[in-house]
Amino acid sequence: MALLDTPINLGNEIKARDIPLDPKQQPADEIAVQLVLRDLNVAEYYLLAKGMTVEWDRDDRLYLFRMPQAFWEGSSVPRSSLGMPLILEHIESLMPQVMNALFSDNPPFSATPRGKTKDLAGRAVTTIISKQLKEIRFKEQARLGVKEGMQYGTGVWKYYWKREKRYKVTYEYEGSPQLEKLETGTATIPTKKSRKVVEKVEEYFVNSPVVERVHIRFLVVDPAVREPDIRKAKYVIHRSYVTLEDLEQLRDQPGYKLPSKEFLQSLFEPPRESPERSLLEGRSTSSVLNTGISSLDINMEFKAMPRWQDSSENPNQQPLELLEYTTPTRVICVLNRKLCIKNDINPFNKVNYFSICNTDILDSWYGMGVSRLLAGEQRLQQGVINSRLDDLALRLSGTFLRKRGGNTPTQQLRLRPGGIIDSDDEKGVQMIQYPPAIADAFTEVEASDSRAQRRTGANELVTQGTAPSAGQLGRTAGGVNAAVSAVGARMGYLVEQICDNFFVPFLEAIHEMNSRWLEPDDINAILDDELGQAYEGDAIEIKNANIKFDMLAGAKLKAKMAMMQLAQPLSQLLMIAPVLEDLTNKGKKVDWAAFIQACLDSVDWPGAQKFIVDMTDEDKKALQAKNEFAQQNSQIALKHQATMEEIEQKGRAQAGTHIIKSILEEINPTSRMEVLQALQQMQSQTGGEGDAPAQSA
């Protein structure tokens, strides 16, 4: 049966009064379907006129480095048809660098509370979003979108809120053990049912944000948008193919108005409704190579089945086209271009898509990818290398020169082991001698690699971790540092674009969706599971939290790394004695608290403002007690030092007395008297300690 008995008439003109200006008022379903189909035709045929599908086919073919088999002219002898994976190498070399920069930490973002938001609420927001990112496989969706941006020039993501029905399996005992009374008390006796474990299925609903990568062929964007930001578009049409099971799941989503289940089932039964085919997803057959083989045949090995074809004999898994028309104020969903199943306001008040460009083009939404940048270089390398291999094949197999007339074989001659060629003339058959291989072919391939590296930044530093070997750049430390800085700036620029246009806005969107649609019980359940204990705060504080999101690999990545490397030598410089002395002479000092805070602020360390705080009264009392204890120890040490010095002086005096006494005993009496008189005279002049030895003598 047909979905509608009368098809939508696109010839009817849509009047201004048919589309209400008030976002809360929606147009009639028939007008909404006409609007979607008219805008789809305008945008789709504009892309076809620009040849975008042919360009995307060419990008696929270049990435897969697929070349058709060529043959020597007038024969079935195959020529060299080696494909060079230049574009694949550059994309696969850049992807690890970008992904490692984006997801270098866990979690890869920071949530800084602003205003009156408490730190506890900020940490709770970080915990909730981190778990949600894992559940929606955010890293994988980000990787696919970034890779499409590199290959086609533009990567797109779509986000929304989903209410999903799930089932949970738990296990419990079928019965309870029996209690029997004994003389000494009560005993628990196991029974057959108390030993048997049964399975229990529970149904529950999960509210969660969703992000999914949208292929560039599955999306139709307002052709008038002139910036590489899809949020600037007046409308976006997402084409998907849904099954009966998918449609039934939409019943639980707000805003959808689906017909009865029986009516939907009738669409998938004979005579079933045929899905509409997308003009943008069909492979281009007009791009024919020199062998007459189309790109469809070349790339079929790696491509999945078209989405509008049946991939299963299960009727519930057969597809129908679903167009989702999104504007900043409205969302309209049209099933198979005939039935409006959603005509509602846009709850986000914005186009709920994000986009990035590998290389943006002025006055255009579509960007330029690596495939477009290196298409010429890959074809050049394929041509040069295959020609060189053809030349090598000619040298190995040989080409014969045959003399006319005489008894000389007339069929095609081939070299083969043990082969014999009969001829009446000794020079009737001879091989053509070729000049040596041209060295310029090798040089040209190296020059092509160098040009490709300059365009994408995927040089030896990125792909192999080694410095460039050619030229003066890799011969000095300054040259290597300059190359490292250039590569880091190139990667940092791309990472910063991804963070500003996709990552940070998506984190803000998740927090907004959680604030609107995540229930307090769900918030507490997530936090209890993640923290391992009951959350002590209020869930309302989390919903009202004012949070600033930052990517740890975001803006000024290289500058942050340089600042962290400079902090340690700068701190050592400020502690050098000449520097401190010069500052003291000028009446200045180093504020180490401000220095540490500046270092933390330069790298956007989360919660850095809490590292250095004022001392509490308990801290001051502890410090005072510590200072008093230090003073007491200092006084004890000074007293001990004075006592030791006094003992040392007495020891020196006694030692001098014994020495003088020994000397006086060994000299004659006359000399002894002279010595005694001299000592008494010295004692009287100095007032020293000379009386003891004199009296003793």
Side-chain angles (χ1 to χ4, degrees):
M1 62 175 295
L3 188 59
L4 290 176
D5 295 336
T6 57
I8 300 297
N9 187 5
L10 298 180
N12 297 332
E13 181 181 358
I14 300 178
K15 300 178 181 180
R17 61 175 177 268
D18 295 334
I19 308 296
L21 295 177
D22 187 359
K24 298 181 181 179
Q25 299 179 2
Q26 302 304 319
D29 289 351
E30 183 178 354
I31 299 298
V33 174
Q34 290 188 40
L35 177 63
V36 173
L37 298 184
R38 284 174 178 271
D39 286 349
L40 175 66
N41 291 337
V42 172
E44 201 168 45
Y45 281 102
Y46 180 75
L47 291 179
L48 294 174
K50 291 174 61 176
M52 295 300 296
T53 57
V54 178
E55 293 293 337
W56 295 333
D57 288 340
R58 186 181 296 115
D59 293 342
D60 290 337
R61 185 170 62 253
L62 291 171
Y63 178 80
L64 297 173
F65 58 96
R66 304 282 290 173
M67 285 193 65
Q69 181 62 59
F71 299 91
W72 289 99
E73 184 178 1
S75 69
S76 59
V77 180
R79 296 184 60 178
S80 175
S81 302
L82 181 64
M84 295 301 300
L86 178 66
I87 293 173
L88 184 144
E89 288 176 353
H90 279 250
I91 292 178
E92 296 301 327
S93 298
L94 293 172
M95 281 297 298
Q97 306 299 321
V98 175
M99 294 302 295
N100 290 337
L102 290 174
F103 297 92
S104 57
D105 297 278
N106 186 23
F109 65 92
S110 64
T112 305
R114 294 190 296 188
K116 298 181 180 180
T117 303
K118 299 180 181 180
D119 293 339
L120 183 62
R123 293 193 295 270
V125 170
T126 302
T127 303
I128 293 173
I129 295 180
S130 298
K131 182 178 180 181
Q132 290 174 334
L133 293 181
K134 294 178 182 178
E135 291 180 349
I136 64 178
R137 300 176 67 246
F138 174 73
K139 184 176 181 180
E140 177 64 14
Q141 294 298 321
R143 184 189 70 86
L144 294 175
V146 171
K147 189 168 185 178
E148 285 191 359
M150 288 186 178
Q151 181 171 344
Y152 301 108
T154 304
V156 184
W157 294 269
K158 172 186 174 183
Y159 70 93
Y160 53 94
W161 188 263
K162 185 176 182 180
R163 176 177 171 83
E164 184 179 5
K165 181 190 298 184
R166 295 183 182 178
Y167 298 93
K168 181 180 180 180
V169 179
T170 58
Y171 300 92
E172 60 184 19
Y173 289 109
E174 185 178 5
S176 302
Q178 294 180 354
L179 295 178
E180 293 188 3
K181 294 182 179 181
L182 302 176
E183 296 179 357
T184 58
T186 304
T188 302
I189 306 300
T191 62
K192 184 177 181 180
K193 290 186 176 181
S194 66
R195 295 190 184 99
K196 185 178 180 181
V197 178
V198 295
E199 183 180 279
K200 185 178 179 181
V201 179
E202 298 179 359
E203 179 181 304
Y204 66 100
F205 287 89
V206 175
N207 295 322
S208 65
V210 179
V211 63
E212 61 181 28
R213 177 265 315 181
V214 181
H215 196 283
I216 195 67
R217 294 179 182 268
F218 304 166
L219 203 70
V220 178
V221 183
D222 172 23
V225 63
R226 304 182 185 280
E227 298 181 27
D229 189 351
I230 195 173
R231 293 172 292 180
K232 302 294 184 181
K234 291 183 289 187
Y235 65 87
V236 176
I237 303 176
H238 178 210
R239 177 189 286 108
S240 60
Y241 287 87
V242 295
T243 63
L244 179 59
E245 296 178 356
D246 298 331
L247 291 173
E248 284 300 318
Q249 291 181 359
L250 294 179
R251 292 186 186 275
D252 299 326
Q253 309 304 321
Y256 283 90
K257 45 183 181 180
L258 294 174
S260 64
K261 185 176 181 180
E262 292 73 16
F263 178 79
L264 290 180
Q265 288 178 339
S266 65
L267 302 179
F268 297 87
E269 296 175 355
R272 61 183 293 262
E273 188 74 21
S274 299
E276 295 290 340
R277 178 174 177 174
S278 170
L279 297 178
L280 301 182
E281 298 180 43
R283 303 302 176 189
S284 171
T285 56
S286 61
S287 176
V288 181
L289 303 179
N290 57 352
T291 58
I293 302 177
S294 67
S295 59
L296 173 65
D297 299 323
I298 295 175
N299 298 327
M300 182 60 73
E301 176 184 354
F302 299 96
K303 296 303 178 183
M305 179 182 292
R307 297 192 298 166
W308 56 82
Q309 293 184 2
D310 298 337
S311 60
S312 173
E313 291 297 330
N314 184 356
N316 297 335
Q317 296 292 334
Q318 295 174 359
L320 285 180
E321 183 193 52
L322 178 64
L323 298 176
E324 185 179 26
Y325 180 88
T326 304
T327 70
T329 59
R330 292 183 173 87
V331 177
I332 302 173
C333 293
V334 179
L335 182 62
N336 224 38
R337 308 192 185 186
K338 298 176 182 178
L339 179 63
C340 181
I341 62 175
K342 184 176 183 179
N343 186 6
D344 199 3
I345 62 174
N346 188 344
F348 301 103
N349 295 321
K350 66 185 75 172
V351 175
N352 56 318
Y353 291 84
F354 299 116
S355 64
I356 62 168
C357 281
N358 181 70
T359 302
D360 54 337
I361 301 174
L362 298 179
D363 202 36
S364 174
W365 177 71
Y366 291 96
M368 183 182 299
V370 176
S371 299
R372 189 81 61 89
L373 289 174
L374 303 185
E377 299 297 338
Q378 180 163 317
R379 293 192 184 98
L380 184 147
Q381 293 189 17
Q382 288 178 163
V384 172
I385 293 177
N386 285 318
S387 297
R388 196 168 63 192
L389 293 177
D390 286 339
D391 180 73
L392 178 61
L394 291 175
R395 295 173 184 279
L396 295 177
S397 300
T399 302
F400 292 93
L401 181 64
R402 184 172 59 196
K403 182 179 179 181
R404 290 180 181 274
N407 187 10
T408 302
T410 57
Q411 70 276 11
Q412 291 286 339
L413 302 179
R414 294 285 185 87
L415 289 181
R416 60 188 185 278
I420 299 175
I421 300 175
D422 296 325
S423 177
D424 294 340
D425 192 343
E426 62 179 2
K427 295 184 179 180
V429 178
Q430 55 184 335
M431 293 186 63
I432 299 177
Q433 300 297 325
Y434 289 93
I438 301 176
D440 293 343
F442 300 90
T443 305
E444 189 58 39
V445 173
E446 294 179 358
S448 177
D449 281 331
S450 178
R451 291 193 298 268
Q453 293 170 10
R454 291 198 306 268
R455 293 172 187 172
T456 63
N459 55 23
E460 288 93 335
L461 288 171
V462 175
T463 58
Q464 301 176 5
T466 58
S469 57
Q472 300 292 330
L473 187 62
R475 298 185 179 181
T476 62
V480 173
N481 291 333
V484 172
S485 300
V487 173
R490 191 73 173 267
M491 293 295 100
Y493 175 72
L494 179 59
V495 171
E496 186 173 350
Q497 284 193 52
I498 299 173
C499 294
D500 294 341
N501 296 327
F502 166 55
F503 219 132
V504 173
F506 177 63
L507 295 175
E508 296 172 350
I510 286 184
H511 180 53
E512 180 183 356
M513 290 187 289
N514 289 339
S515 301
R516 296 178 61 181
W517 297 310
L518 196 62
E519 298 296 334
D521 293 341
D522 297 333
I523 293 176
N524 292 326
I526 294 175
L527 293 175
D528 293 347
D529 293 340
E530 294 297 309
L531 300 178
Q533 59 184 5
Y535 177 62
E536 299 178 356
D538 191 351
I540 297 299
E541 296 179 354
I542 299 175
K543 296 173 75 70
N544 295 326
N546 184 7
I547 302 295
K548 176 188 176 184
F549 293 97
D550 291 299
M551 285 298 300
L552 302 182
K556 301 179 180 61
L557 180 62
K558 298 298 293 185
K560 294 178 181 180
M561 296 174 60
M563 182 62 188
M564 290 300 295
Q565 295 176 357
L566 182 62
Q568 182 177 0
L570 182 59
S571 62
Q572 294 176 353
L573 175 64
L574 295 176
M575 290 188 294
I576 296 177
V579 177
L580 293 176
E581 183 179 357
D582 182 69
L583 292 176
T584 303
N585 295 335
K586 295 179 180 178
K588 298 182 181 299
K589 67 176 182 178
V590 178
D591 189 348
W592 290 107
F595 176 80
I596 296 173
Q597 190 65 54
C599 294
L600 296 175
D601 291 342
S602 66
V603 295
D604 294 333
W605 193 291
Q609 67 276 9
K610 303 300 182 182
F611 280 7
I612 302 176
V613 296
D614 297 332
M615 297 179 62
T616 61
D617 295 338
E618 291 76 8
D619 295 335
K620 293 179 180 179
K621 292 179 181 180
L623 179 61
Q624 183 178 0
K626 181 179 179 181
N627 292 336
E628 292 177 356
F629 180 75
Q631 291 178 0
Q632 294 177 0
N633 290 340
S634 177
Q635 293 177 359
I636 294 174
L638 291 175
K639 185 176 180 180
H640 177 72
Q641 183 179 359
T643 303
M644 295 301 296
E645 290 179 354
E646 182 179 357
I647 294 174
E648 184 179 2
Q649 291 177 359
K650 289 182 179 181
R652 290 179 180 178
Q654 293 177 0
T657 301
H658 289 294
I659 292 173
I660 294 173
K661 184 177 180 181
S662 300
I663 294 174
L664 292 176
E665 291 177 352
E666 294 180 359
I667 60 178
N668 54 46
T670 305
S671 300
R672 184 183 304 171
M673 293 300 297
E674 295 177 354
V675 172
L676 289 174
Q677 292 176 357
L679 290 174
Q680 290 177 355
Q681 185 178 0
M682 291 175 60
Q683 180 181 3
S684 62
Q685 293 178 355
T686 60
E689 301 175 351
D691 55 343
Q695 293 176 1
S696 177

